[in-house]
Amino acid sequence: MSQAPALSTHQEADQFQYSQIEEKRIERYYLGEYSDLKQRIIQFYDLDELKTKLQEKDNDGRLKYKNITLQFPDSLIADSSIVLSYLQESLVTNEDCSTKSYPDVEEIGCKGCVDCDKRDKNSKSQDSDKQAIWILADTAYSSCCIDEVASGHVNGDVVVHFGDACLNPIDKLNALYVFGKPHLNAEKIIERVEELCLEDDKVVLMSDTPYSYNLYSIYRELKPKYPNLAYADVDFDLQRENMEVIGKWSQPQDEDSIAFANRRIFGLVDEISNYKLFHITLPADPRLLFLSTNFSSVEIFDCKENCTVLGPFPSLMKRYKHMHVGRTAGTIGILINTLSLANTKIMLNTVIKAIRAAGKKHYIFVVGKPNVAKLANFDPIDIWCILGCGQSGIVIDNVGDYYKPIITPYELQLALKPEVSWTGRWVTDFMEVIENGEFDLGNDEDTENDIVERHKDDAPEFDAVTGKFSTFSRPLRQLKHLDVEVIENQDETALVKKFSSNLAIQSTVSTSAKALQERSWTGLGSDFKDLEEYGAALEEGRNGIARDYGL
C-alpha cells in the first residue's frame, strides 16, 4: 500500500435522499363505528362520572384529589391526550398543569418547618383548590396493576387506572378503575359458540374486564339453547375502601354464583373442571395458563379479527421441567416484579425462609420490568423465582429466550419438597400459596450450625433434566462464617484468585467460586491465550460511501 487510504469521501447533497415520515393511523377497533371521536371516548370511559368523582370534597370542604395520575396501558395510550383535555376543561386545574412535566423540588421537599420562611407559601399551596393531572406514560411493572411507584413520583393522591385490571388489593393509594365499554360483535360470538359447542356441552363464557359488561346479554341469548351454559362477571366484592370502579354495571341478584380468581361465575351446575371455557379476547400468558389448568378445554375469540385463536398456548409440561431444575438449583434469584400488591412482603419472607431451610442460597433482585438482557447479567443464578401479579406479572418463557428458567413461588414450593410431587395445578395467588402451601420453613431459632447438621450427610442429588448427579444443590449444608483476610503486599486480584481456585473455602461451598471456574471468557485477549502468534497482517480496508458497500 503506497499511500494511506482516504478516511472520507467528498459527497454531494443530491447523493442523500430522505423519505418523509408517514403519519401512522391509529386503529381504535374497540370503539366500533363513530362520527365524533371525542364524544365516543367520553362515552367509552364514562368520563362524566369520573369527573364527578374527582370533584368530591372532604368534610372540611377541600378537594379529596389534588394530584391526579392517569394510568393507561400501551393499547390505550393514544386516547390519553383526549381524556386529559376533557378532564382539564372540567376540573379545577392549575394553569400550567398541561405543560409541567414534574413537580418542583420545593413542592415535594419542603415540609413547612416552624422556623422556615417558606411555611406560609407552602401551606397556601397545600390548601389551594387546584388540581394537577399527570399521565403515567409507562408502568413500572404490570399494566393491569396500580402503579404506585410512578404515581408516588408526583405525590399522587389517586390513580385512575384505564383498561383491563386485575383488581388486586393495594395498600397505600386510592384507586379508581375505568374499564371502558368496548364495542363487541355479539352476532359473531354467538355464531362461533354454536359452531364449536353441542347443546348439552357445559360451557363458561368469560372475557377480560372491559368486555365483561357484554357477557350477560350474550348469556341470555344462548341460554335457551344451551341449558348448561354459565358466564363469568367481574367480582365487584373485591373492592376495598380505597378502590372504586367507574361505570360499574348491575349484576343479577337472583342467580347463585361462586368466586373464581377475580371473577364470579353465574349458572354453574357442576365442577369447573368439567366445563369448557370460551374466552373473549386473548388473555396474557400467565392468565391463560391459569385458566387452562382449571377448565377441560379453552377456546379464545379475538375481538379484533372476529375469529378464534388457535395458539400456541403456554405449556404446563414446561413448568414441570422447570420445577425439576429448581430441585437441584444451588443459587435461587428472587425476582420482585411488583411493589404495590398486598402480601408481597409476607410472600417474600416465606420464600426466603423456605430456601434457607432447604440449604440453598438466594439473592433478591428488583430490576423493574424483567427482560432477557437484564437477567443475563447474573450468571451465578441457577433459577429465578418471580413474585408478580398472576394476571400479567409473571414471565412465561414460551420460546426459551431466557438463559435460566423462571418459576413461581408455588412451583418453588414443590421443588423444595424432599420427594417429587406434581399436582397439575398452577397457583399464582399469594395468600393461597401462603395459607395452603406446604413450605418447609424450618425453625425461627435455627442457627447456621443447625442447618449444617440437618444437611450434613446429604448425598449428591440426581438431576432429572441433565441425567447427572449434582453436588451443589445445597451449598449451605456446609455453611460457616467466612473469615477471609486479604494478605498484605498482594495485588487487588489476589482475593479473586483465591476464590476462583477453590470451590470450598474453610469448609464452605462457594457458588461464586464455582461460577468463576466455569467461565470460559476471563477478559480481553483470553480468546488468544492458547495461540503462539499474536496479531494479524495489515490489509487495506474499504473506502467510499458506506451505503454503497457490497456484501
Side-chain angles (χ1 to χ4, degrees):
M1 187 169 60
S2 58
Q3 60 181 3
L7 299 180
S8 62
T9 305
H10 178 69
Q11 300 169 357
E12 300 294 339
D14 56 358
Q15 291 179 311
F16 295 93
Q17 296 180 356
Y18 297 94
S19 58
Q20 185 177 2
I21 299 177
E22 298 180 358
E23 182 179 357
K24 184 178 180 181
R25 178 177 176 82
I26 301 174
E27 185 178 1
R28 294 182 171 92
Y29 67 92
Y30 49 87
L31 296 181
E33 297 181 358
Y34 57 88
S35 57
D36 189 338
L37 177 60
K38 182 177 180 180
Q39 290 299 321
R40 179 68 182 101
I41 288 181
I42 292 174
Q43 298 172 359
F44 181 83
Y45 292 114
D46 293 292
L47 294 184
D48 290 330
E49 182 180 347
L50 175 61
K51 175 190 65 176
T52 303
K53 180 64 181 179
L54 295 177
Q55 290 175 337
E56 287 185 354
K57 297 183 178 181
D58 56 18
N59 296 331
D60 297 331
R62 300 176 181 176
L63 289 169
K64 287 184 178 180
Y65 312 115
K66 295 181 180 179
N67 289 334
I68 303 168
T69 53
L70 310 180
Q71 179 181 341
F72 290 86
D74 293 340
S75 58
L76 301 178
I77 194 66
D79 301 337
S80 60
S81 59
I82 300 177
V83 173
L84 175 64
S85 175
Y86 180 76
L87 293 179
Q88 285 180 339
E89 294 173 359
S90 307
L91 300 180
V92 184
T93 57
N94 289 321
E95 295 178 357
D96 59 341
C97 66
S98 60
T99 58
K100 193 175 180 182
S101 60
Y102 201 81
D104 294 335
V105 176
E106 294 182 356
E107 294 181 10
I108 61 176
C110 180
K111 304 300 181 182
C113 302
V114 177
D115 56 348
C116 179
D117 56 357
K118 298 180 181 179
R119 176 178 175 84
D120 295 336
K121 177 182 177 181
N122 190 55
S123 60
K124 290 180 181 179
S125 63
Q126 292 180 352
D127 295 338
S128 63
D129 288 335
K130 298 292 184 180
Q131 292 175 302
I133 307 176
W134 317 84
I135 296 177
L136 307 181
D138 189 21
T139 54
Y141 296 101
S142 308
S143 60
C144 63
C145 299
I146 296 295
D147 193 350
E148 291 185 325
V149 176
S151 181
H153 291 165
V154 294
N155 286 346
D157 299 319
V158 62
V159 178
V160 184
H161 184 282
F162 294 85
D164 190 20
C166 56
L167 298 178
N168 283 326
I170 56 177
D171 293 329
K172 300 177 182 178
L173 290 179
N174 296 305
L176 300 177
Y177 291 95
V178 182
F179 300 145
K181 296 180 179 178
H183 168 74
L184 185 64
N185 192 336
E187 296 180 357
K188 283 284 186 181
I189 294 176
I190 294 174
E191 177 183 341
R192 193 58 182 158
V193 171
E194 292 176 345
E195 292 176 359
L196 296 174
C197 304
L198 301 176
E199 293 184 0
D200 57 346
D201 284 347
K202 298 175 182 178
V203 183
V204 173
L205 298 176
M206 187 181 293
S207 71
D208 60 8
T209 48
Y211 285 90
S212 294
Y213 90 103
N214 294 290
L215 293 182
Y216 182 62
S217 59
I218 299 176
Y219 167 76
R220 293 185 59 184
E221 186 76 19
L222 291 171
K223 185 64 174 178
K225 186 176 181 180
Y226 298 92
N228 296 325
L229 184 67
Y231 80 100
D233 206 342
V234 178
D235 190 357
F236 293 117
D237 295 336
L238 296 176
Q239 296 182 84
R240 292 188 174 185
E241 294 181 357
N242 61 341
M243 301 165 55
E244 185 173 342
V245 176
I246 302 298
K248 182 170 64 174
W249 54 89
S250 59
Q251 295 176 337
Q253 303 295 329
D254 55 344
E255 293 191 32
D256 296 332
S257 63
I258 65 168
F260 176 76
N262 55 0
R263 297 289 190 272
R264 296 205 69 86
I265 302 182
F266 296 84
L268 284 180
V269 295
D270 199 353
E271 297 291 334
I272 293 180
S273 58
N274 296 326
Y275 276 80
K276 299 179 180 179
L277 177 64
F278 189 90
H279 198 282
I280 301 172
T281 67
L282 179 63
D285 285 344
R287 177 76 172 179
L288 181 56
L289 183 58
F290 170 76
L291 294 175
S292 63
T293 59
N294 285 275
F295 292 90
S296 60
S297 63
V298 178
E299 294 287 343
I300 306 296
F301 184 85
D302 187 357
C303 296
K304 183 178 181 180
E305 303 295 337
N306 287 324
C307 64
T308 53
V309 180
L310 301 178
F313 298 146
S315 172
L316 191 63
M317 292 306 298
K318 185 174 289 188
R319 314 303 305 177
Y320 179 69
K321 172 190 173 183
H322 292 172
M323 185 272 294
H324 273 285
V325 175
R327 292 184 61 82
T328 56
T331 305
I332 300 175
I334 303 176
L335 187 60
I336 308 297
N337 199 30
T338 177
L339 294 177
S340 59
L341 294 185
N343 306 317
T344 300
K345 187 175 181 180
I346 301 176
M347 186 75 259
L348 175 61
N349 293 333
T350 303
V351 170
I352 291 175
K353 290 181 180 179
I355 294 175
R356 182 174 177 269
K360 300 177 183 292
K361 285 188 176 181
H362 74 276
Y363 297 93
I364 302 175
F365 296 87
V366 181
V367 297
K369 289 183 179 180
N371 57 40
V372 177
K374 289 180 181 178
L375 301 190
N377 291 318
F378 310 103
D379 185 64
I381 301 299
D382 296 323
I383 195 170
W384 296 94
C385 178
I386 187 169
L387 274 62
C389 171
Q391 180 159 317
S392 61
I394 298 175
V395 177
I396 304 294
D397 188 9
N398 293 325
V399 295
D401 288 337
Y402 289 83
Y403 295 98
K404 301 297 174 63
I406 303 175
I407 61 176
T408 63
Y410 178 75
E411 293 163 336
L412 179 64
Q413 165 208 310
L414 299 178
L416 296 181
K417 287 184 177 181
E419 298 181 358
V420 178
S421 61
W422 183 251
T423 62
R425 301 178 63 216
W426 203 63
V427 182
T428 58
D429 182 67
F430 286 170
M431 285 308 300
E432 185 175 354
V433 175
I434 295 171
E435 295 175 355
N436 302 330
E438 300 178 1
F439 280 109
D440 180 12
L441 305 180
N443 298 322
D444 294 336
E445 299 179 356
D446 281 354
T447 63
E448 295 173 352
N449 291 329
D450 295 332
I451 299 177
V452 172
E453 292 298 326
R454 185 185 308 164
H455 303 289
K456 184 176 181 180
D457 299 327
D458 283 353
E461 193 163 356
F462 179 73
D463 190 343
V465 178
T466 62
K468 301 178 181 179
F469 284 96
S470 174
T471 58
F472 296 97
S473 60
R474 301 180 188 274
L476 295 190
R477 60 184 171 187
Q478 300 177 13
L479 180 64
K480 290 184 179 179
H481 286 293
L482 282 176
D483 297 324
V484 180
E485 297 180 358
V486 180
I487 303 175
E488 296 182 359
N489 300 325
Q490 285 192 353
D491 59 6
E492 58 183 5
T493 63
L495 184 61
V496 177
K497 292 179 180 178
K498 184 174 182 179
F499 269 92
S500 61
S501 61
N502 297 281
L503 290 182
I505 302 175
Q506 295 185 359
S507 300
T508 301
V509 176
S510 174
T511 55
S512 299
K514 175 176 176 291
L516 286 174
Q517 279 195 353
E518 293 179 349
R519 287 179 59 177
S520 59
W521 189 82
T522 58
L524 294 176
S526 61
D527 301 340
F528 305 98
K529 61 182 179 181
D530 297 331
L531 299 179
E532 297 180 357
E533 298 181 359
Y534 292 89
L538 182 64
E539 298 180 0
E540 182 178 359
R542 297 178 178 179
N543 56 25
I545 302 176
R547 68 176 182 179
D548 293 336
Y549 287 165
L551 299 178

